[in-house]
């Protein structure tokens, strides 16, 4: 399965809404992040645009840039539901280029997400809110008192 098929396979609009409502990743955004990290010779920016008809338009850039063309493959229907892209070096933030893209596309764009390592940054047109979220990493131990886990309880 190629990288675009992996992303299409994980797509569900409810998963995108979940990112905004629950401040956590979804199987869809995790698939986009995984592709940006693992499917190319090195980590690359991956972009996914969801149009008004739930069609996905995708492209890949370099490690630090992905072009936002007016039409990635033809037939994009406005308004765009969401623009999602990765920052594969790990930090989720709105770069200067991202801010220019948001400003240019604001009349035709409802929401946007930039993905980083265990974090994302969102923008919502209706609330005019930008939010940065970091994900907690949790680990469940089957036997927390096993001698192999003693280091977890040592005092510093």
């Amino acid at each position: 399965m190629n990288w675009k098929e992996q992303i299409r396979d994980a797509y569900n609009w409810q998963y995108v809404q979940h990112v905004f409502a629950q401040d956590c990743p979804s199987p869809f955004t995790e698939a986009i992040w995984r592709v940006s990290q693992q499917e190319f010779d090195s980590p690359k920016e991956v972009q996914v645009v969801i149009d008004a008809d739930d069609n996905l338009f995708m492209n890949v850039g370099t490690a630090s840039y992905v072009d936002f063309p007016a039409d990635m493959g033809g037939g994009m229907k406005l308004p765009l539901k969401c623009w999602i892209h990765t920052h594969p070096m790990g930090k989720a933030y709105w770069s200067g280029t991202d801010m220019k893209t948001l400003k240019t596309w604001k009349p035709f764009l409802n929401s946007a997400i930039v993905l980083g390592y265990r974090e994302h940054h969102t923008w919502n047109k209706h609330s005019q809110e930008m939010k940065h979220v970091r994900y907690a990493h949790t680990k469940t131990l089957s036997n927390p008192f096993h001698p192999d886990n003693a280091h977890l309880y040592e005092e510093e």
Side-chain angles (χ1 to χ4, degrees), residues 29-90:
T29 57
E30 290 292 297
I32 296 168
W33 178 256
R34 187 176 53 256
V35 162
S36 80
Q37 296 296 301
Q38 300 174 0
E39 290 300 314
F40 309 103
D41 60 336
S42 62
K44 304 275 191 236
E45 283 203 22
V46 170
Q47 173 175 256
V48 179
V49 176
I50 305 165
D51 79 355
D53 288 338
D54 278 326
N55 294 311
L56 304 184
F57 296 84
M58 297 176 267
N59 64 341
V60 62
T62 67
S64 59
Y65 179 78
V66 65
D67 193 24
F68 190 105
D71 198 2
M72 292 182 288
M76 209 183 284
K77 185 172 179 187
L78 301 176
L80 302 177
K81 286 185 169 183
C82 195
W83 166 47
I84 305 166
H85 74 287
T86 64
H87 282 182
M89 295 309 153

Side-chain angles (χ1 to χ4, degrees), residues 101-155:
T101 301
L102 285 173
K103 184 178 179 182
T104 301
W105 281 87
K106 188 176 178 180
F108 313 106
L109 180 63
N110 292 331
S111 63
I113 304 169
V114 61
L115 302 171
Y117 178 68
R118 293 188 181 156
E119 62 183 19
H120 69 255
H121 212 122
T122 59
W123 170 78
N124 184 296
K125 179 180 187 173
H126 303 293
S127 68
Q128 287 300 306
E129 179 178 73
M130 284 191 170
K131 188 184 288 189
H132 184 244
V133 175
R134 287 196 175 108
Y135 317 142
H137 180 71
T138 59
K139 182 177 181 180
T140 303
L141 300 173
S142 58
N143 184 352
F145 301 109
H146 189 277
D148 289 347
N149 295 320
H151 67 282
L152 296 173
Y153 307 103
E154 293 173 358
E155 292 185 27

